[in-house]
Amino acid sequence: MAIFEGEWLEEARAIIARYPEGRERSAVMPLLYLAQSVDGHVTRGALQEVASLIGVRTAEVEAVASFYTMLRLRPTGTHLIAVCTNLSCALRGASEVYEAAHRATGIPHGGEVSDDGDFTVHEEECLGVCEHAPVVQVNVANHDRVTPERVTEIVAALRGGEVPEPARGPAVDSFKTASRILAGLEPLDETLAEGANA
């Protein structure tokens, strides 16, 4: 089944129209985010459709999609919890936070999505916020100096329909919404108003 049909095809065309003629390939990232907002991850079919829309080979689109960890090539839960385990975070207890995230969501190591479909826990190489270690991203929003207890509270809040306030920026209600924001299809402030602690 095609992803870019109906309203999504119109949005894809609007994204491509942002770029000058002959530079359509520059739309690859927002198109991949759009595809991710539809299925919750970038499917093989989406890679092919994006390639067709911007006139490049599927391998070129896949090279982009596989490089950036914000783009998920595997099924992803409603909420993506990414735990930074790089050096600064590791020295301040990131491994315990990562284990607590797995326990709270019920996802075993090697598992992709919780049984209820609500969560994916991802070990992130580096989130670039070493001074606030350990850092956890929830739907691409950073939470600073997270403890095992705090990540357990975050998971419980999300399970209860709340959106915990991040350290900076807007709270985003789902990974699909975060993908639409990254595609430039959702205004950041409106998402904040609708999604935060709704």
Side-chain angles (χ1 to χ4, degrees):
M1 182 176 138
I3 291 174
F4 296 119
E5 294 181 323
E7 65 183 282
W8 291 307
L9 180 57
E10 290 176 27
E11 289 180 331
R13 287 178 175 153
I15 288 170
I16 293 168
R18 296 177 193 161
Y19 300 91
E21 190 174 331
R23 302 284 186 186
E24 293 83 1
R25 66 185 310 142
S26 298
V28 65
M29 291 287 289
L31 288 173
L32 288 169
Y33 285 128
L34 172 59
Q36 187 167 261
S37 77
V38 175
D39 283 335
H41 70 288
V42 179
T43 64
R44 167 63 54 188
L47 295 173
Q48 294 167 343
E49 287 184 60
V50 168
S52 176
L53 283 168
I54 59 176
V56 299
R57 293 177 298 140
T58 302
E60 293 176 86
V61 176
E62 187 170 8
V64 172
S66 62
F67 182 79
Y68 294 102
T69 59
M70 308 88 77
L71 294 164
R72 302 271 310 161
L73 297 173
R74 291 177 284 201
T76 302
T78 302
H79 304 290
L80 175 63
I81 299 174
V83 181
C84 180
T85 57
N86 208 329
L87 183 60
S88 296
C89 289
L91 290 172
R92 301 196 66 184
S95 295
E96 290 80 7
V97 172
Y98 183 63
E99 292 303 321
H102 274 283
R103 280 193 306 275
T105 58
I107 303 172
H109 286 281
E112 295 290 337
V113 180
S114 60
D115 288 342
D116 56 12
D118 284 348
F119 298 98
T120 290
V121 175
H122 172 72
E123 185 175 10
E124 191 67 51
E125 177 60 26
C126 182
L127 292 173
V129 199
C130 300
E131 69 274 24
H132 300 296
V135 174
V136 172
Q137 275 190 345
V138 178
N139 302 324
V140 195
N142 282 5
H143 294 256
D144 297 344
R145 297 184 179 95
V146 176
T147 62
E149 294 76 19
R150 179 62 187 144
V151 79
T152 301
E153 291 170 3
I154 289 171
V155 169
L158 291 167
R159 201 169 258 141
E162 297 176 33
V163 182
E165 286 293 324
R168 291 167 296 286
V172 181
D173 63 355
S174 73
F175 184 59
K176 287 184 177 180
T177 300
S179 297
R180 287 189 61 80
I181 293 169
L182 292 169
L185 296 168
E186 297 286 337
L188 210 48
D189 50 350
E190 285 183 25
T191 303
L192 213 190
E194 293 172 6
N197 298 317

